[in-house]
PDB file of all heavy atoms in Angstrom:
ATOM      1  N   ASP A   1    -257.201 -98.615-107.723  1.00 82.00           N
ATOM      2  CA  ASP A   1    -257.100 -98.110-106.347  1.00 82.00           C
ATOM      3  C   ASP A   1    -255.669 -97.739-105.986  1.00 82.00           C
ATOM      4  O   ASP A   1    -255.429 -96.880-105.111  1.00 82.00           O
ATOM      5  CB  ASP A   1    -257.611 -99.170-105.359  1.00 82.00           C
ATOM      6  CG  ASP A   1    -259.158 -99.322-105.410  1.00 82.00           C
ATOM      7  OD1 ASP A   1    -259.807 -98.478-106.009  1.00 82.00           O
ATOM      8  OD2 ASP A   1    -259.649-100.335-104.857  1.00 82.00           O
ATOM      9  N   GLU A   2    -254.703 -98.415-106.590  1.00 85.00           N
ATOM     10  CA  GLU A   2    -253.290 -98.159-106.333  1.00 85.00           C
ATOM     11  C   GLU A   2    -252.742 -97.055-107.234  1.00 85.00           C
ATOM     12  O   GLU A   2    -251.535 -96.710-107.151  1.00 85.00           O
ATOM     13  CB  GLU A   2    -252.478 -99.415-106.496  1.00 85.00           C
ATOM     14  CG  GLU A   2    -252.780-100.527-105.476  1.00 85.00           C
ATOM     15  CD  GLU A   2    -251.992-101.788-105.735  1.00 85.00           C
ATOM     16  OE1 GLU A   2    -251.259-101.847-106.737  1.00 85.00           O
ATOM     17  OE2 GLU A   2    -252.170-102.731-104.947  1.00 85.00           O
ATOM     18  N   GLY A   3    -253.605 -96.464-108.050  1.00 84.00           N
ATOM     19  CA  GLY A   3    -253.170 -95.393-108.938  1.00 84.00           C
ATOM     20  C   GLY A   3    -252.261 -95.894-110.064  1.00 84.00           C
ATOM     21  O   GLY A   3    -251.439 -95.151-110.641  1.00 84.00           O
ATOM     22  N   LYS A   4    -252.437 -97.173-110.435  1.00 94.00           N
ATOM     23  CA  LYS A   4    -251.597 -97.794-111.444  1.00 94.00           C
ATOM     24  C   LYS A   4    -252.364 -97.983-112.761  1.00 94.00           C
ATOM     25  O   LYS A   4    -252.476 -99.099-113.276  1.00 94.00           O
ATOM     26  CB  LYS A   4    -251.038 -99.114-110.943  1.00 94.00           C
ATOM     27  CG  LYS A   4    -250.035 -98.933-109.816  1.00 94.00           C
ATOM     28  CD  LYS A   4    -249.445-100.258-109.373  1.00 94.00           C
ATOM     29  CE  LYS A   4    -248.402-100.065-108.284  1.00 94.00           C
ATOM     30  NZ  LYS A   4    -247.764-101.353-107.864  1.00 94.00           N
ATOM     31  N   LEU A   5    -252.923 -96.920-113.269  1.00 94.00           N
ATOM     32  CA  LEU A   5    -253.568 -96.926-114.590  1.00 94.00           C
ATOM     33  C   LEU A   5    -252.967 -95.838-115.461  1.00 94.00           C
ATOM     34  O   LEU A   5    -252.827 -94.693-115.042  1.00 94.00           O
ATOM     35  CB  LEU A   5    -255.083 -96.664-114.472  1.00 94.00           C
ATOM     36  CG  LEU A   5    -255.947 -97.742-113.809  1.00 94.00           C
ATOM     37  CD1 LEU A   5    -257.404 -97.290-113.830  1.00 94.00           C
ATOM     38  CD2 LEU A   5    -255.800 -99.083-114.485  1.00 94.00           C
ATOM     39  N   ILE A   6    -252.550 -96.203-116.679  1.00 96.00           N
ATOM     40  CA  ILE A   6    -252.126 -95.257-117.659  1.00 96.00           C
ATOM     41  C   ILE A   6    -253.396 -94.729-118.380  1.00 96.00           C
ATOM     42  O   ILE A   6    -254.233 -95.546-118.819  1.00 96.00           O
ATOM     43  CB  ILE A   6    -251.177 -95.934-118.696  1.00 96.00           C
ATOM     44  CG1 ILE A   6    -249.914 -96.414-117.997  1.00 96.00           C
ATOM     45  CG2 ILE A   6    -250.846 -94.941-119.811  1.00 96.00           C
ATOM     46  CD1 ILE A   6    -249.050 -97.305-118.885  1.00 96.00           C
ATOM     47  N   ASP A   7    -253.567 -93.456-118.446  1.00 92.00           N
ATOM     48  CA  ASP A   7    -254.796 -92.893-118.997  1.00 92.00           C
ATOM     49  C   ASP A   7    -255.039 -93.297-120.441  1.00 92.00           C
ATOM     50  O   ASP A   7    -254.105 -93.339-121.274  1.00 92.00           O
ATOM     51  CB  ASP A   7    -254.756 -91.352-118.952  1.00 92.00           C
ATOM     52  CG  ASP A   7    -254.899 -90.813-117.549  1.00 92.00           C
ATOM     53  OD1 ASP A   7    -255.410 -91.566-116.659  1.00 92.00           O
ATOM     54  OD2 ASP A   7    -254.504 -89.660-117.288  1.00 92.00           O
ATOM     55  N   ASN A   8    -256.320 -93.557-120.738  1.00 91.00           N
ATOM     56  CA  ASN A   8    -256.701 -93.757-122.151  1.00 91.00           C
ATOM     57  C   ASN A   8    -256.458 -92.479-122.935  1.00 91.00           C
ATOM     58  O   ASN A   8    -256.574 -91.380-122.395  1.00 91.00           O
ATOM     59  CB  ASN A   8    -258.205 -94.102-122.238  1.00 91.00           C
ATOM     60  CG  ASN A   8    -258.571 -95.397-121.613  1.00 91.00           C
ATOM     61  OD1 ASN A   8    -257.920 -96.433-121.880  1.00 91.00           O
ATOM     62  ND2 ASN A   8    -259.597 -95.409-120.802  1.00 91.00           N
ATOM     63  N   TYR A   9    -256.117 -92.640-124.238  1.00 92.00           N
ATOM     64  CA  TYR A   9    -256.113 -91.495-125.115  1.00 92.00           C
ATOM     65  C   TYR A   9    -257.441 -91.475-125.867  1.00 92.00           C
ATOM     66  O   TYR A   9    -257.749 -92.439-126.591  1.00 92.00           O
ATOM     67  CB  TYR A   9    -254.934 -91.586-126.123  1.00 92.00           C
ATOM     68  CG  TYR A   9    -254.862 -90.365-127.006  1.00 92.00           C
ATOM     69  CD1 TYR A   9    -254.473 -89.128-126.518  1.00 92.00           C
ATOM     70  CD2 TYR A   9    -255.186 -90.454-128.360  1.00 92.00           C
ATOM     71  CE1 TYR A   9    -254.390 -88.033-127.323  1.00 92.00           C
ATOM     72  CE2 TYR A   9    -255.112 -89.333-129.200  1.00 92.00           C
ATOM     73  CZ  TYR A   9    -254.730 -88.125-128.666  1.00 92.00           C
ATOM     74  OH  TYR A   9    -254.674 -87.005-129.497  1.00 92.00           O
ATOM     75  N   ASN A  10    -258.228 -90.431-125.665  1.00 85.00           N
ATOM     76  CA  ASN A  10    -259.626 -90.453-126.132  1.00 85.00           C
ATOM     77  C   ASN A  10    -259.853 -89.672-127.459  1.00 85.00           C
ATOM     78  O   ASN A  10    -261.001 -89.409-127.800  1.00 85.00           O
ATOM     79  CB  ASN A  10    -260.533 -89.855-125.065  1.00 85.00           C
ATOM     80  CG  ASN A  10    -260.586 -90.698-123.829  1.00 85.00           C
ATOM     81  OD1 ASN A  10    -260.737 -91.936-123.924  1.00 85.00           O
ATOM     82  ND2 ASN A  10    -260.461 -90.075-122.671  1.00 85.00           N
ATOM     83  N   TYR A  11    -258.762 -89.348-128.166  1.00 87.00           N
ATOM     84  CA  TYR A  11    -258.964 -88.494-129.346  1.00 87.00           C
ATOM     85  C   TYR A  11    -258.420 -89.123-130.611  1.00 87.00           C
ATOM     86  O   TYR A  11    -258.001 -88.432-131.527  1.00 87.00           O
ATOM     87  CB  TYR A  11    -258.279 -87.122-129.111  1.00 87.00           C
ATOM     88  CG  TYR A  11    -258.674 -86.485-127.808  1.00 87.00           C
ATOM     89  CD1 TYR A  11    -257.814 -86.534-126.725  1.00 87.00           C
ATOM     90  CD2 TYR A  11    -259.914 -85.864-127.664  1.00 87.00           C
ATOM     91  CE1 TYR A  11    -258.159 -85.948-125.514  1.00 87.00           C
ATOM     92  CE2 TYR A  11    -260.282 -85.291-126.440  1.00 87.00           C
ATOM     93  CZ  TYR A  11    -259.395 -85.320-125.390  1.00 87.00           C
ATOM     94  OH  TYR A  11    -259.774 -84.777-124.210  1.00 87.00           O
ATOM     95  N   LEU A  12    -258.427 -90.419-130.697  1.00 90.00           N
ATOM     96  CA  LEU A  12    -257.984 -91.087-131.939  1.00 90.00           C
ATOM     97  C   LEU A  12    -258.948 -90.770-133.062  1.00 90.00           C
ATOM     98  O   LEU A  12    -260.165 -90.635-132.825  1.00 90.00           O
ATOM     99  CB  LEU A  12    -257.930 -92.606-131.764  1.00 90.00           C
ATOM    100  CG  LEU A  12    -256.847 -93.096-130.792  1.00 90.00           C
ATOM    101  CD1 LEU A  12    -256.991 -94.600-130.601  1.00 90.00           C
ATOM    102  CD2 LEU A  12    -255.462 -92.778-131.332  1.00 90.00           C
ATOM    103  N   PRO A  13    -258.464 -90.587-134.287  1.00 89.00           N
ATOM    104  CA  PRO A  13    -259.367 -90.381-135.408  1.00 89.00           C
ATOM    105  C   PRO A  13    -260.378 -91.485-135.519  1.00 89.00           C
ATOM    106  O   PRO A  13    -260.122 -92.638-135.118  1.00 89.00           O
ATOM    107  CB  PRO A  13    -258.395 -90.363-136.605  1.00 89.00           C
ATOM    108  CG  PRO A  13    -257.090 -89.951-136.033  1.00 89.00           C
ATOM    109  CD  PRO A  13    -257.027 -90.578-134.671  1.00 89.00           C
ATOM    110  N   ASP A  14    -261.530 -91.163-136.075  1.00 81.00           N
ATOM    111  CA  ASP A  14    -262.663 -92.109-136.083  1.00 81.00           C
ATOM    112  C   ASP A  14    -262.352 -93.404-136.839  1.00 81.00           C
ATOM    113  O   ASP A  14    -262.918 -94.431-136.511  1.00 81.00           O
ATOM    114  CB  ASP A  14    -263.874 -91.444-136.711  1.00 81.00           C
ATOM    115  CG  ASP A  14    -264.451 -90.353-135.833  1.00 81.00           C
ATOM    116  OD1 ASP A  14    -264.319 -90.472-134.605  1.00 81.00           O
ATOM    117  OD2 ASP A  14    -264.992 -89.371-136.371  1.00 81.00           O
ATOM    118  N   ASP A  15    -261.465 -93.349-137.841  1.00 92.00           N
ATOM    119  CA  ASP A  15    -261.201 -94.558-138.612  1.00 92.00           C
ATOM    120  C   ASP A  15    -259.868 -95.235-138.217  1.00 92.00           C
ATOM    121  O   ASP A  15    -259.393 -96.099-138.902  1.00 92.00           O
ATOM    122  CB  ASP A  15    -261.216 -94.266-140.105  1.00 92.00           C
ATOM    123  CG  ASP A  15    -260.134 -93.267-140.520  1.00 92.00           C
ATOM    124  OD1 ASP A  15    -259.480 -92.683-139.613  1.00 92.00           O
ATOM    125  OD2 ASP A  15    -259.936 -93.062-141.730  1.00 92.00           O
ATOM    126  N   HIS A  16    -259.307 -94.836-137.088  1.00 95.00           N
ATOM    127  CA  HIS A  16    -257.994 -95.350-136.678  1.00 95.00           C
ATOM    128  C   HIS A  16    -258.010 -96.849-136.552  1.00 95.00           C
ATOM    129  O   HIS A  16    -257.129 -97.557-137.119  1.00 95.00           O
ATOM    130  CB  HIS A  16    -257.558 -94.701-135.382  1.00 95.00           C
ATOM    131  CG  HIS A  16    -256.286 -95.287-134.808  1.00 95.00           C
ATOM    132  ND1 HIS A  16    -256.276 -96.359-133.958  1.00 95.00           N
ATOM    133  CD2 HIS A  16    -254.989 -94.947-134.994  1.00 95.00           C
ATOM    134  CE1 HIS A  16    -255.057 -96.650-133.618  1.00 95.00           C
ATOM    135  NE2 HIS A  16    -254.250 -95.806-134.246  1.00 95.00           N
ATOM    136  N   TYR A  17    -258.948 -97.401-135.805  1.00 92.00           N
ATOM    137  CA  TYR A  17    -258.896 -98.826-135.542  1.00 92.00           C
ATOM    138  C   TYR A  17    -259.221 -99.677-136.755  1.00 92.00           C
ATOM    139  O   TYR A  17    -258.727-100.776-136.922  1.00 92.00           O
ATOM    140  CB  TYR A  17    -259.744 -99.216-134.313  1.00 92.00           C
ATOM    141  CG  TYR A  17    -261.215 -99.485-134.594  1.00 92.00           C
ATOM    142  CD1 TYR A  17    -261.661-100.791-134.803  1.00 92.00           C
ATOM    143  CD2 TYR A  17    -262.145 -98.443-134.559  1.00 92.00           C
ATOM    144  CE1 TYR A  17    -263.001-101.050-135.015  1.00 92.00           C
ATOM    145  CE2 TYR A  17    -263.479 -98.727-134.770  1.00 92.00           C
ATOM    146  CZ  TYR A  17    -263.909 -99.998-134.982  1.00 92.00           C
ATOM    147  OH  TYR A  17    -265.254-100.272-135.185  1.00 92.00           O
ATOM    148  N   SER A  18    -260.053 -99.143-137.655  1.00 95.00           N
ATOM    149  CA  SER A  18    -260.376 -99.944-138.850  1.00 95.00           C
ATOM    150  C   SER A  18    -259.234 -99.946-139.852  1.00 95.00           C
ATOM    151  O   SER A  18    -258.855-101.005-140.406  1.00 95.00           O
ATOM    152  CB  SER A  18    -261.661 -99.435-139.492  1.00 95.00           C
ATOM    153  OG  SER A  18    -261.537 -98.052-139.864  1.00 95.00           O
ATOM    154  N   VAL A  19    -258.636 -98.775-140.099  1.00 97.00           N
ATOM    155  CA  VAL A  19    -257.559 -98.671-141.076  1.00 97.00           C
ATOM    156  C   VAL A  19    -256.274 -99.311-140.536  1.00 97.00           C
ATOM    157  O   VAL A  19    -255.660-100.198-141.157  1.00 97.00           O
ATOM    158  CB  VAL A  19    -257.304 -97.220-141.477  1.00 97.00           C
ATOM    159  CG1 VAL A  19    -256.116 -97.143-142.443  1.00 97.00           C
ATOM    160  CG2 VAL A  19    -258.576 -96.625-142.136  1.00 97.00           C
ATOM    161  N   CYS A  20    -255.850 -98.874-139.344  1.00 98.00           N
ATOM    162  CA  CYS A  20    -254.637 -99.406-138.735  1.00 98.00           C
ATOM    163  C   CYS A  20    -254.815-100.850-138.342  1.00 98.00           C
ATOM    164  O   CYS A  20    -253.867-101.647-138.354  1.00 98.00           O
ATOM    165  CB  CYS A  20    -254.203 -98.555-137.591  1.00 98.00           C
ATOM    166  SG  CYS A  20    -253.677 -96.874-138.034  1.00 98.00           S
ATOM    167  N   GLY A  21    -256.052-101.215-137.992  1.00 97.00           N
ATOM    168  CA  GLY A  21    -256.342-102.602-137.649  1.00 97.00           C
ATOM    169  C   GLY A  21    -256.131-103.545-138.817  1.00 97.00           C
ATOM    170  O   GLY A  21    -255.633-104.662-138.661  1.00 97.00           O
ATOM    171  N   ALA A  22    -256.506-103.069-140.004  1.00 98.00           N
ATOM    172  CA  ALA A  22    -256.331-103.885-141.196  1.00 98.00           C
ATOM    173  C   ALA A  22    -254.816-104.126-141.440  1.00 98.00           C
ATOM    174  O   ALA A  22    -254.396-105.225-141.858  1.00 98.00           O
ATOM    175  CB  ALA A  22    -256.973-103.229-142.389  1.00 98.00           C
ATOM    176  N   SER A  23    -254.019-103.060-141.209  1.00 98.00           N
ATOM    177  CA  SER A  23    -252.586-103.211-141.349  1.00 98.00           C
ATOM    178  C   SER A  23    -251.995-104.169-140.315  1.00 98.00           C
ATOM    179  O   SER A  23    -251.156-105.017-140.629  1.00 98.00           O
ATOM    180  CB  SER A  23    -251.906-101.847-141.221  1.00 98.00           C
ATOM    181  OG  SER A  23    -252.276-100.972-142.241  1.00 98.00           O
ATOM    182  N   PHE A  24    -252.511-104.069-139.091  1.00 98.00           N
ATOM    183  CA  PHE A  24    -252.063-104.945-138.028  1.00 98.00           C
ATOM    184  C   PHE A  24    -252.400-106.401-138.321  1.00 98.00           C
ATOM    185  O   PHE A  24    -251.662-107.326-137.988  1.00 98.00           O
ATOM    186  CB  PHE A  24    -252.647-104.495-136.685  1.00 98.00           C
ATOM    187  CG  PHE A  24    -251.693-104.573-135.530  1.00 98.00           C
ATOM    188  CD1 PHE A  24    -251.466-103.459-134.740  1.00 98.00           C
ATOM    189  CD2 PHE A  24    -251.003-105.737-135.242  1.00 98.00           C
ATOM    190  CE1 PHE A  24    -250.577-103.491-133.679  1.00 98.00           C
ATOM    191  CE2 PHE A  24    -250.091-105.779-134.175  1.00 98.00           C
ATOM    192  CZ  PHE A  24    -249.883-104.664-133.403  1.00 98.00           C
ATOM    193  N   GLN A  25    -253.568-106.612-138.909  1.00 98.00           N
ATOM    194  CA  GLN A  25    -253.958-107.975-139.276  1.00 98.00           C
ATOM    195  C   GLN A  25    -252.996-108.558-140.304  1.00 98.00           C
ATOM    196  O   GLN A  25    -252.714-109.772-140.278  1.00 98.00           O
ATOM    197  CB  GLN A  25    -255.389-107.977-139.794  1.00 98.00           C
ATOM    198  CG  GLN A  25    -256.404-107.780-138.709  1.00 98.00           C
ATOM    199  CD  GLN A  25    -257.829-107.594-139.239  1.00 98.00           C
ATOM    200  OE1 GLN A  25    -258.022-107.216-140.389  1.00 98.00           O
ATOM    201  NE2 GLN A  25    -258.825-107.878-138.416  1.00 98.00           N
ATOM    202  N   LYS A  26    -252.530-107.721-141.186  1.00 98.00           N
ATOM    203  CA  LYS A  26    -251.525-108.232-142.162  1.00 98.00           C
ATOM    204  C   LYS A  26    -250.239-108.654-141.468  1.00 98.00           C
ATOM    205  O   LYS A  26    -249.636-109.642-141.826  1.00 98.00           O
ATOM    206  CB  LYS A  26    -251.227-107.138-143.232  1.00 98.00           C
ATOM    207  CG  LYS A  26    -252.376-106.878-144.176  1.00 98.00           C
ATOM    208  CD  LYS A  26    -251.921-106.105-145.418  1.00 98.00           C
ATOM    209  CE  LYS A  26    -251.468-104.700-145.102  1.00 98.00           C
ATOM    210  NZ  LYS A  26    -251.159-103.949-146.331  1.00 98.00           N
ATOM    211  N   TYR A  27    -249.878-107.904-140.436  1.00 98.00           N
ATOM    212  CA  TYR A  27    -248.672-108.261-139.660  1.00 98.00           C
ATOM    213  C   TYR A  27    -248.908-109.592-138.921  1.00 98.00           C
ATOM    214  O   TYR A  27    -248.039-110.447-138.876  1.00 98.00           O
ATOM    215  CB  TYR A  27    -248.347-107.153-138.661  1.00 98.00           C
ATOM    216  CG  TYR A  27    -247.114-107.421-137.857  1.00 98.00           C
ATOM    217  CD1 TYR A  27    -245.843-107.235-138.393  1.00 98.00           C
ATOM    218  CD2 TYR A  27    -247.207-107.842-136.514  1.00 98.00           C
ATOM    219  CE1 TYR A  27    -244.685-107.503-137.654  1.00 98.00           C
ATOM    220  CE2 TYR A  27    -246.075-108.110-135.775  1.00 98.00           C
ATOM    221  CZ  TYR A  27    -244.817-107.927-136.339  1.00 98.00           C
ATOM    222  OH  TYR A  27    -243.708-108.178-135.602  1.00 98.00           O
ATOM    223  N   LEU A  28    -250.084-109.720-138.347  1.00 98.00           N
ATOM    224  CA  LEU A  28    -250.410-110.948-137.606  1.00 98.00           C
ATOM    225  C   LEU A  28    -250.386-112.142-138.538  1.00 98.00           C
ATOM    226  O   LEU A  28    -250.021-113.253-138.121  1.00 98.00           O
ATOM    227  CB  LEU A  28    -251.791-110.795-136.984  1.00 98.00           C
ATOM    228  CG  LEU A  28    -252.297-111.974-136.129  1.00 98.00           C
ATOM    229  CD1 LEU A  28    -251.375-112.182-134.918  1.00 98.00           C
ATOM    230  CD2 LEU A  28    -253.700-111.686-135.617  1.00 98.00           C
ATOM    231  N   ALA A  29    -250.717-111.912-139.809  1.00 97.00           N
ATOM    232  CA  ALA A  29    -250.740-113.006-140.794  1.00 97.00           C
ATOM    233  C   ALA A  29    -249.447-113.157-141.524  1.00 97.00           C
ATOM    234  O   ALA A  29    -249.338-113.898-142.509  1.00 97.00           O
ATOM    235  CB  ALA A  29    -251.865-112.755-141.793  1.00 97.00           C
TER     236      ALA A  29
END
């Protein structure tokens, strides 16, 4: 309501979260 939302980016490649997520999990570990 206050206009304080950063827009989602809706065009990530289909495998972005699975591939980059696996890399991020390595960082977390």
Side-chain angles (χ1 to χ4, degrees):
D1 288 347
E2 294 177 357
K4 293 183 176 181
L5 292 182
I6 297 170
D7 288 340
N8 294 311
Y9 182 71
N10 294 315
Y11 309 102
L12 292 174
D14 291 329
D15 61 352
H16 174 271
Y17 86 94
S18 59
V19 176
C20 295
S23 296
F24 221 126
Q25 287 173 337
K26 290 196 294 184
Y27 182 77
L28 183 61

